[in-house]
Amino acid sequence: QVQLVESGGGLVQAGGSLELSCAASGTIFSIPVMGWYRQTPGKQREFIATSGSSTNYANTVKGRFTISRDYAKKTVYLQMNELKPEDTAAYLCYARVVGGQLGYESDYWGQGTQVTVSS
């Protein structure tokens, strides 16, 4: 099994910054992709950014958010700058994990960390 544990959420004023982190642990051979999504009550889960063979961002965060990875620590980060009230959400970590040398992939999600941006 694989566990993803997020940290770094909190309350920040509009225009401020936060950095989220997510560490993976468990039976892991490799992690081809790690990333971030966000969700607010009553809305669909929204793609934010992923890091793998390429790096991809949602248009809503491009230029403000930066995703990075520490492969040795199996950790992904999300640096969020110029935060807006509409960025308020639970931010969920995502990982596509290869559990063994046979190459089978599975998707995992963290529990989420709340980010609240006040106006």
Side-chain angles (χ1 to χ4, degrees), residues 1-2 4 27 30-33 94-99 103-109:
Q1 265 295 0
V2 172
L4 302 177
T27 305
S30 67
I31 309 178
V33 181
Y94 160 81
R96 176 157 292 175
V97 175
V98 176
Y104 295 122
E105 297 181 340
S106 299
D107 293 339
Y108 294 89
W109 295 91

Side-chain angles (χ1 to χ4, degrees), residues 22-88:
C22 170
S25 62
T27 305
I28 298 170
F29 180 76
S30 67
I31 309 178
V33 181
M34 291 191 84
W36 294 92
Y37 287 69
R38 67 188 181 191
Q39 190 157 27
T40 53
K43 290 189 177 181
Q44 277 193 321
R45 191 168 291 180
E46 177 188 4
F47 165 78
I48 297 301
T50 52
S51 174
S53 57
S54 62
T55 299
N56 299 286
Y57 293 95
N59 288 334
T60 51
V61 306
K62 200 173 292 184
R64 300 188 297 125
F65 292 8
T66 303
I67 190 170
S68 61
R69 290 178 66 174
D70 184 328
Y71 284 83
K73 294 182 178 179
K74 300 183 182 65
T75 298
V76 64
Y77 303 93
L78 186 68
Q79 177 65 43
M80 305 185 293
N81 298 327
E82 301 175 32
L83 283 161
K84 305 175 182 179
E86 51 264 43
D87 293 319
T88 295

